[in-house]
Amino acid sequence: MLKTRFWLLFGPLALWMTAFLILPYAQVLVQSFYTVDDFGLLQPGFSLDSYRRFATGPLYYGTLGKTFVLAGAVTLGCLLLSLPLAYYIAFKARRNKTLLYTLIILPLWVSYIVRAYAWKTILGEEGVLNTFLMYVGLTHEPIHLLLYSDVAVFICMVHIYTPFVLMPIYTAFEQIPKSLIEASKDLGAGRWTTFRQVVFPLSLPGIIAGGTFSFVLSLGDFLAPILLGGPNTLFISNIFQNMFGTSNDKPLGSAVGIVLLVVVLLILELSGRAEKRYSSLESA
């Protein structure tokens, strides 16, 4: 009876993971060892040629490095925005706490594409920002670099991923016993000292979780570079997409996907260990 209940509960989940997670990744892994003939047709076999081309092609590993830099910058930007916002909502806002929290996560209910196109409207040559800058006299002509640049991609990603970072940080702040903060103040510690020695260490699991969310999601984002980056902006997810599209080089595209997957799994493993370490300190 217990065994039947276990399979009734676990069976649908196992079936879903097999159909939509394990099998697609297994196909990509197998395909990464294939080759392509002169007609663009897949040739089954075992070849490391795709991984060799990725490792020796400056375009590929250079783009991977550029993607890491962008993901790191986006994560840093999200953390710098989320920490003070989450702190204010958790410890300072009293009556409007729920309203403020809802307003910050409200963009998650709007489609990603709609939000990206909204930034095109804001950053365009005749957009809201350029119009405002010319109206107040800071510039005499539109700033062309605002749109179709790495800066535009960075701004859009920070806006999109900040709620993902804020939510775990806010949850971590809410779980900190208020008695610890009051004890710190009773001992003469100022606000900054209390934040640095009490609040920040205890909120590290949430900060690590939020930073991991932002970094991993930024690594695989390809819509923001397409819509806001322009033709000269290329990230690793765009290469992955091109290899399965116009370039029709599925083995190389699969190799890029596997490399990216391994990197993401390593990041998740390191993040999980760090969270566990600081969570154990918190419980102690």
Side-chain angles (χ1 to χ4, degrees):
M1 186 66 181
L2 189 61
K3 197 172 183 180
T4 305
R5 285 184 179 179
F6 172 79
W7 281 111
L8 283 175
L9 292 173
F10 183 72
L13 175 64
L15 188 63
W16 188 91
M17 291 189 66
T18 302
F20 298 108
L21 192 67
I22 297 175
L23 287 179
Y25 278 125
Q27 183 183 0
V28 171
L29 177 63
V30 171
Q31 206 166 245
S32 68
F33 297 111
Y34 287 1
T35 56
V36 179
D37 63 15
D38 296 336
F39 301 100
L41 300 175
L42 280 176
Q43 297 298 317
F46 182 82
S47 171
L48 296 175
D49 183 63
S50 299
Y51 291 95
R52 180 191 60 77
R53 283 192 288 159
F54 178 83
T56 57
L59 173 66
Y60 307 124
Y61 62 74
T63 304
L64 182 62
K66 179 184 174 183
T67 306
F68 266 98
V69 172
L70 175 77
V74 170
T75 302
L76 182 62
C78 292
L79 287 173
L80 290 176
L81 281 176
S82 299
L83 272 170
L85 282 172
Y87 184 86
Y88 179 80
I89 297 172
F91 297 112
K92 299 298 180 183
R94 298 185 184 279
R95 296 179 180 176
N96 300 321
K97 182 180 288 190
T98 304
L99 175 63
L100 291 173
Y101 183 75
T102 304
L103 287 176
I104 291 176
I105 66 171
L106 193 62
L108 294 178
W109 300 345
V110 181
S111 166
Y112 184 112
I113 295 178
V114 172
R115 284 180 282 166
Y117 269 106
W119 278 110
K120 290 188 75 171
T121 305
I122 295 172
L123 300 175
E125 290 187 7
E126 299 179 355
V128 177
L129 186 57
N130 267 320
T131 304
F132 173 76
L133 292 176
M134 289 190 293
Y135 176 76
V136 298
L138 291 177
T139 60
H140 299 290
E141 59 182 12
I143 301 175
H144 304 289
L145 291 178
L146 286 179
L147 188 59
Y148 301 128
S149 64
D150 293 353
V151 176
V153 177
F154 168 78
I155 293 173
C156 178
M157 283 189 180
V158 168
H159 166 242
I160 287 174
Y161 296 131
T162 291
F164 290 100
V165 179
L166 185 138
M167 285 189 289
I169 295 177
Y170 172 75
T171 304
F173 281 160
E174 283 288 290
Q175 292 177 347
I176 296 175
K178 300 296 185 291
S179 57
L180 290 179
I181 299 174
E182 292 171 359
S184 175
K185 291 178 180 176
D186 290 343
L187 291 173
R191 290 180 180 178
W192 171 243
T193 304
T194 300
F195 176 80
R196 186 166 51 86
Q197 296 190 353
V198 179
V199 176
F200 185 76
L202 294 178
S203 62
L204 273 175
I207 294 172
I208 294 170
T212 306
F213 269 133
S214 174
F215 193 83
V216 170
L217 292 173
S218 301
L219 277 180
D221 195 316
F222 67 95
L223 274 177
I226 289 176
L227 296 175
L228 298 163
N232 296 324
T233 299
L234 186 65
F235 295 105
I236 198 67
S237 53
N238 302 118
I239 290 182
F240 179 78
Q241 182 198 21
N242 289 334
M243 291 301 164
F244 279 88
T246 53
S247 299
N248 193 27
D249 194 344
K250 293 178 182 176
L252 181 56
S254 300
V256 173
I258 292 299
V259 170
L260 195 59
L261 176 64
V262 171
V263 170
V264 168
L265 290 177
L266 284 175
I267 292 171
L268 292 177
E269 174 64 20
L270 293 174
S271 170
R273 290 188 181 187
E275 278 187 63
K276 191 178 295 182
R277 177 187 174 189
Y278 289 109
S279 296
S280 63
L281 290 177
E282 182 180 354
S283 59

